[in-house]
Amino acid sequence: MIDRHHNTLIMNLNFLGVAVAYGLLGMSLWLSTDMALATKGYWAMGILLLTLSLINVVKYRFDMRFSDDRLRKIEDARNEKLLEDALKEDA
C-alpha cells in the first residue's frame, strides 16, 4: 500500500514536471519574435515526436522486463514440479 502511494506521488510529480516543461517551452516558442512560424512548427513537431519515441522506448523496455519475469516464473514452477516428481519417485 505504501509503495503504491509513493509510486503515485512520483508519477504525479513527473507528470507535473512534464506539463510545466511543455508549458514553458510553448510559451517560449509563442513569444519568440526572432523565429519564423514555420521554424516554430518544426521545433514543436520535433519535440512532440521525440516525446512519443521516448514513451515507446520506455513501454518496450517495461514489456521486455515483464516478459522476462513471466518466463522466469514459468521456469521456476516447472523446475519445482520436476523436483516434486523426482522426490515422489524416490519415496
Side-chain angles (χ1 to χ4, degrees):
M1 179 71 175
I2 293 174
D3 288 337
R4 177 170 275 177
H5 175 69
H6 288 298
N7 287 342
T8 303
L9 180 65
I10 290 170
M11 289 294 292
N12 287 336
L13 186 62
N14 285 327
F15 283 134
L16 178 66
V18 169
V20 168
Y22 275 131
L24 291 174
L25 182 66
M27 188 172 63
S28 171
L29 285 174
W30 180 266
L31 296 176
S32 176
T33 57
D34 297 340
M35 265 194 268
L37 185 60
T39 305
K40 291 179 184 182
Y42 180 77
W43 275 83
M45 287 188 309
I47 292 164
L48 178 67
L49 292 175
L50 176 64
T51 302
L52 291 175
S53 298
L54 290 173
I55 290 169
N56 283 329
V57 166
V58 170
K59 181 194 176 301
Y60 286 131
R61 287 187 52 100
F62 180 77
D63 287 349
M64 283 192 317
R65 180 178 289 170
F66 185 73
S67 176
D68 290 343
D69 287 345
R70 173 130 334 161
L71 288 174
R72 188 175 56 246
K73 286 180 183 178
I74 290 171
E75 288 177 3
D76 289 345
R78 185 189 63 161
N79 290 338
E80 188 175 325
K81 175 76 169 140
L82 289 173
L83 285 172
E84 286 178 5
D85 291 345
L87 289 175
K88 285 180 184 178
E89 289 177 3
D90 289 343

